[in-house]
């Protein structure tokens, strides 16, 4: 079996998160001349880590003249975190909860960054983490991302994020081409999604800090969300929750901009899919959205009401599989061990495997059929 053989090769590739190549921890000094009576500046100062390595998801504000004159380096301080006091509540901003936004990124889209900047959740409570492949395309994306980070982190204080971490993965991308048609070919799915699992896990395990309350997974090609995305998803107070991921496109027959479902990985299971799984070999996986493999699962994408129907955007449905284009997770779920299996887990991989793993850990996954985020249209 061709897929299985190439998979084994792929598995043997050692995946070192070599780089931290660029750990851009852009911790700019708050300009000393600027008066800083604002809540933001105060909160930043209070929350700042005492050492650049402790921990990576907290802001680190350099204190001038520290330890340098004597030539003696001060060791990192020992910091005590009481995880019992770390909450993920329905009103996270009021409670000062830290959100970690994680993005695997093969391409940099300005629209993604602009959308990120518009998020209304206090930026000083948001840390960003990225992982990019070490390909030509990945290099270009890294350069563009670094430029955007530098611009934002030296701009107005209220726009700056608490911290930014950029990782480079050091294995070759399993696919020659990142073009949508190639990416979505059925026979490419298994190696592709297993590689994505590794990228997500590396990113997660490298950046999750002791102060992180929420993890928001946001793909690099999500170019439009409500600015209140974090508040809106958190307000449901669910361990795992996904909005509906659509795509805007120009319909040449109606001559209008319209929208269509994009992500088919959020679903409720079906008897057919379970039966299919039972008959599968242990290394085979179920995929969603392919005619080759009709599962008859109920897809979140098709539960959406019409655009102007005035349907309740906060309608909740329980899900068995989730997609990762935008995915809000209470940090506790990841801390308990739920990750993105790069191996068939109940015949599921990556984000769908994650949903299953969360479920096995006793959590439930939820979807919002009428709350939308939009994927870039290539
Ligand atoms: P699709 O929308 O389901 O076709 O998936 P994408 O190809 O858009 O991938 C999902 C996310 O992972 C996007 O943010 C991509 O930029 C990113 N991505 C895709 N391939 C790779 C890869 O090989 N390495 C890393 N680190 N990120 C990737
Ligand atoms: Mn995508």
């Amino acid at each position: 079996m061709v897929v299985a053989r190439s998979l084994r090769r792929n598995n043997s590739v050692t995946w070192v998160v070599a780089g931290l190549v660029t750990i851009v921890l852009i911790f700019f000094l708050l300009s000393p001349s600027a008066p800083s009576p604002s809540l933001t500046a105060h909160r930043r100062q209070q929350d700042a880590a005492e050492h650049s390595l402790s921990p990576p998801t907290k802001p680190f504000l350099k204190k001038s003249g520290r330890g340098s004159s004597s030539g003696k380096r001060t060791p990192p301080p020992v910091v005590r975190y009481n995880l019992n006091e770390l909450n993920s509540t329905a009103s996270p901003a009021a409670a000062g909860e830290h959100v970690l936004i994680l993005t695997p990124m093969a391409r940099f889209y300005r629209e993604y960054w602009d959308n990120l900047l518009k998020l209304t959740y206090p930026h000083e409570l948001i840390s960003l983490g990225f992982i990019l492949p070490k390909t030509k395309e990945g290099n270009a994306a890294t350069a563009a991302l670094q430029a955007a980070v530098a611009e934002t982190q030296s701009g107005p204080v209220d726009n700056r994020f608490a911290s930014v971490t950029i990782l480079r993965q050091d294995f070759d991308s399993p696919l020659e081409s990142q073009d949508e048609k190639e990416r979505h070919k059925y026979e490419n799915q298994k190696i592709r999604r297993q590689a994505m699992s590794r990228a997500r896990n590396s990113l997660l395990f490298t950046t999750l800090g002791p102060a992180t309350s929420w993890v928001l997974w946001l793909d690099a090609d999500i170019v439009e969300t409500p600015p209140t995305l974090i508040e809106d998803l958190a307000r449901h107070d669910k361990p795992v929750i996904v909005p509906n991921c659509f795509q805007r496109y120009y319909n040449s027959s109606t001559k209008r901009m319209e929208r269509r479902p994009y992500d088919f990985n959020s679903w409720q299971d079906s008897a057919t899919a379970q039966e299919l799984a039972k008959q599968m070999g242990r290394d085979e996986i179920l995929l969603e959205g392919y005619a080759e493999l009709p599962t008859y699962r109920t897809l979140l994408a098709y539960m959406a009401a019409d655009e102007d129907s005035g349907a309740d955007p906060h309608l909740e449905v329980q899900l068995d599989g989730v997609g990762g284009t935008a995915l809000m997770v209470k940090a506790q779920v990841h801390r308990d061990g739920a990750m993105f299996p790069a191996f068939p887990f109940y015949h599921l991989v990556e984000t769908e495997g994650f949903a299953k793993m969360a479920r096995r850990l006793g959590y439930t996954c939820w979807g919002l059929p009428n709350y939308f985020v939009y994927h870039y249209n290539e």
Side-chain angles (χ1 to χ4, degrees):
M1 207 174 119
V2 178
V3 172
R5 207 177 317 122
S6 56
L7 169 68
R8 227 173 295 135
R9 181 160 39 85
N10 188 43
N11 272 345
S12 67
V13 174
T14 316
W15 227 118
V16 189
V17 178
L20 297 175
V21 163
T22 337
I23 294 192
V24 183
L25 294 167
I26 300 207
F27 304 116
F28 283 81
L29 269 175
L30 295 175
S31 156
S33 59
S36 52
S38 80
L39 177 65
T40 301
H42 182 67
R43 186 139 64 173
R44 274 170 185 278
Q45 294 283 8
Q46 282 222 316
D47 198 49
E50 302 242 319
H51 185 274
S52 57
L53 298 176
S54 57
T57 39
K58 282 200 142 198
F60 170 59
L61 307 173
K62 278 189 207 148
K63 292 188 188 98
S64 45
R66 218 167 136 250
S68 49
S69 55
S70 65
K72 237 173 93 184
R73 284 252 201 89
T74 15
V78 174
V79 184
R80 195 166 166 272
Y81 294 95
N82 189 344
L83 288 184
N84 288 339
E85 284 166 15
L86 185 68
N87 275 328
S88 318
T89 65
S91 313
E97 291 166 13
H98 291 248
V99 179
L100 175 61
I101 301 184
L102 295 182
T103 301
M105 178 179 278
R107 291 175 178 171
F108 178 83
Y109 292 112
R110 186 72 216 186
E111 296 92 329
Y112 159 88
W113 192 258
D114 290 341
N115 184 70
L116 199 67
L117 289 183
K118 280 190 228 137
L119 293 180
T120 53
Y121 197 78
H123 286 197
E124 75 268 21
L125 294 175
I126 299 179
S127 289
L128 307 177
F130 301 89
I131 187 164
L132 300 94
K134 273 204 152 185
T135 55
K136 210 171 149 215
E137 207 181 32
N139 293 345
T142 306
L145 172 63
Q146 280 177 324
V149 168
E151 180 190 309
T152 299
Q153 299 299 81
S154 59
V157 170
D158 283 355
N159 285 350
R160 298 182 196 175
F161 296 100
S163 69
V164 183
T165 307
I166 302 177
L167 310 179
R168 299 299 304 273
Q169 76 196 37
D170 84 333
F171 72 101
D172 294 333
S173 269
L175 297 190
E176 296 276 308
S177 161
Q178 280 291 334
D179 288 338
E180 182 169 343
K181 215 169 136 231
E182 191 61 25
R183 254 173 31 218
H184 289 173
K185 270 190 192 160
Y186 181 77
E187 59 273 22
N188 284 338
Q189 286 314 293
K190 194 175 181 186
I191 52 166
R192 178 171 165 268
R193 301 231 17 223
Q194 293 187 330
M196 282 308 304
S197 301
R198 288 195 161 85
R200 289 187 192 279
N201 290 334
S202 284
L203 181 56
L204 173 65
F205 293 132
T206 312
T207 56
L208 188 75
T212 312
S213 287
W214 297 88
V215 177
L216 173 64
W217 290 92
L218 194 62
D219 275 357
D221 43 23
I222 294 302
V223 290
E224 181 190 340
T225 71
T228 48
L229 178 70
I230 293 174
E231 296 90 329
D232 294 344
L233 296 179
R235 139 182 170 186
H236 289 265
D237 203 14
K238 300 294 190 203
V240 178
I241 192 163
V242 281
N244 219 343
C245 179
F246 272 48
Q247 182 176 54
R248 297 196 190 277
Y249 74 105
Y250 181 72
N251 184 331
S252 50
S253 38
T254 64
K255 303 218 176 337
R256 285 198 326 194
M257 285 306 289
E258 291 181 8
R259 63 180 195 180
R260 60 189 169 205
Y262 183 84
D263 189 350
F264 296 123
N265 293 339
S266 296
W267 41 257
Q268 295 171 334
D269 215 353
S270 69
T272 308
Q274 295 195 340
E275 201 48 49
L276 276 171
K278 263 190 214 151
Q279 282 152 28
M280 282 182 155
R282 53 171 277 181
D283 282 337
E284 287 181 281
I285 61 167
L286 278 164
L287 295 166
E288 192 47 65
Y290 291 87
E292 293 93 326
L293 196 83
T295 61
Y296 302 99
R297 288 165 176 157
T298 308
L299 306 185
L300 183 69
Y302 296 135
M303 292 182 206
D306 287 340
E307 194 159 8
D308 304 312
S309 64
D312 177 13
H314 287 286
L315 175 72
E316 302 167 346
V317 297
Q318 199 172 333
L319 297 175
D320 299 300
V322 297
T325 54
L327 167 67
M328 183 78 150
V329 182
K330 289 192 177 186
Q332 189 58 44
V333 179
H334 283 315
R335 279 197 188 94
D336 278 3
M339 46 69 157
F340 302 92
F343 50 87
F345 179 72
Y346 290 78
H347 303 288
L348 301 169
V349 289
E350 211 212 350
T351 56
E352 294 160 293
F354 161 76
K356 186 69 175 179
M357 209 174 279
R359 188 77 202 94
R360 297 290 285 123
L361 282 163
Y363 296 107
T364 48
C365 301
W366 297 81
L368 302 177
N370 301 323
Y371 189 96
F372 299 95
V373 300
Y374 294 92
H375 189 279
Y376 188 80
N377 188 355
E378 288 172 39

